Amino acid sequence: QVNLEESGGGSVQPGGSLRLSCTPSQRLARPNCMAWFRQAPGKEREGVAALCSSTTPYYSDSAQGRFMISEDDALNTVFLQLRALKSDDTGVFYCAVSTHWTWAPLSVRDYTIWGQGIEVTVSS
């Protein structure tokens, strides 16, 4: 069983930055996709950013230009750099893995392995 360890969440003021990390408990077979999703209270989980087999990343419209997903294969870790944070970014961020290539990298239903979730709060 693969577990996803998430870290880097917290509380920041609008305009601030955070860097989230996701480290699987073991190496993942390729092809695969790793992604970050956000869920606000009472809302559906939405895709934020995804990276599939080190190809061009995918971003939601709201994330484009502010967030960046990257990976460090040596560290077996995927990062999500959050910049210019807004109050609307508040929510629980989940790291997720798809063990197969997906044509919809930001679709929840294509992911089978999930982290526990980490809170991000943006407020003044």
Side-chain angles (χ1 to χ4, degrees), residues 19-115:
R19 189 178 74 162
L20 309 182
S21 300
C22 177
T23 302
S25 59
Q26 63 188 72
R27 291 283 180 175
L28 300 172
R30 294 180 181 267
N32 66 71
C33 298
M34 297 194 69
W36 289 93
F37 293 80
R38 171 187 168 273
Q39 186 169 25
K43 302 294 184 180
E44 296 182 350
R45 195 170 300 180
E46 299 180 341
V48 175
L51 186 64
C52 299
S53 298
S54 300
T55 59
T56 302
Y58 300 85
Y59 297 102
S60 67
D61 290 341
S62 63
Q64 185 69 46
R66 298 189 299 131
F67 301 167
M68 184 180 72
I69 187 170
S70 61
E71 66 177 348
D72 189 323
D73 188 63
L75 298 177
N76 193 33
T77 298
V78 170
F79 303 96
L80 183 65
Q81 180 68 53
L82 309 175
R83 293 182 177 273
L85 285 163
K86 308 173 182 178
S87 59
D88 289 346
D89 295 319
T90 295
V92 178
F93 281 71
Y94 296 88
C95 179
V97 173
S98 172
T99 54
H100 301 281
W101 183 271
T102 175
W103 300 108
L106 299 180
S107 177
V108 169
R109 59 191 173 191
D110 287 342
Y111 290 81
T112 57
I113 304 174
W114 292 85

